[in-house]
Each structure stands twice: as C-alpha cells, then as structure tokens.
Amino acid sequence: MSKENMKAYWKQNLQYLAMLLSVWFLVSYVFGILLVDQLNVIKLGGFKLGFWFAQQGSMYVFVILIFVYVRLMNKLDKKYGVDE
C-alpha cells in the first residue's frame, strides 16, 4: 500500500469516526440531557422519550453504531485492499 493510499485510508477512517461519534453525542448528550424536557412530552412504551434516551436509547444507538462502523470499515478495507 502506497503512502498516499495509507493517508487516504486513514483520512476516510477519521471521517467515519467523526460522523459516528457526532451521532452518539447527539443521542446521548443532546437528546438525553439538553432536550430531555421537550422529549418528555412524547411517550415510548409507556415511558417519557427523554427518560428513554437518557437510560436506554444512547446504549442502543451505541451498539448500532458499532455495527455500522464495522460495516463501513469492511468496505473501506476492501476498497484499499487491506481486507483479510
């Protein structure tokens, strides 16, 4: 793998990380803390939505983001020929 390809690979990896961490921040901090009062107006399964995001939603989203990251990285690895 050439040095240019390694830089491009790493740059794309960092873009994926920034995007996924932004989603996680939005769900866990913004929805779970900052917007909790506005979200508590909505009910989900008998629970207020703000409470749900603070207690359960951020964990579910984190697990989903792990699988999304794995899928994105597998595609990126194949693109640059570093897959297993």
Side-chain angles (χ1 to χ4, degrees):
M1 191 164 165
S2 72
K3 203 168 200 172
E4 291 173 4
N5 279 347
M6 287 174 32
K7 285 184 180 183
Y9 175 86
W10 187 244
K11 182 179 179 182
Q12 186 70 46
N13 183 15
L14 291 177
Q15 288 174 348
Y16 288 157
L17 285 173
M19 177 184 65
L20 296 174
L21 286 173
S22 297
V23 170
W24 190 36
F25 175 79
L26 178 74
V27 170
S28 63
Y29 186 73
V30 176
F31 290 170
I33 297 172
L34 297 179
L35 297 177
V36 72
D37 293 329
Q38 291 85 352
L39 291 173
N40 278 339
V41 175
I42 304 168
K43 300 269 186 177
L44 178 68
F47 297 100
K48 295 177 181 179
L49 188 59
F51 172 79
W52 185 83
F53 269 112
Q55 299 301 316
Q56 301 292 326
S58 60
M59 290 185 290
Y60 290 142
V61 170
F62 180 67
V63 171
I64 291 168
L65 290 178
I66 291 171
F67 287 107
V68 169
Y69 180 70
V70 167
R71 186 162 187 227
L72 289 172
M73 287 308 297
N74 283 337
K75 285 183 179 181
L76 188 64
D77 288 349
K78 285 180 184 176
K79 178 180 176 182
Y80 286 96
V82 293
D83 57 328
E84 295 178 1

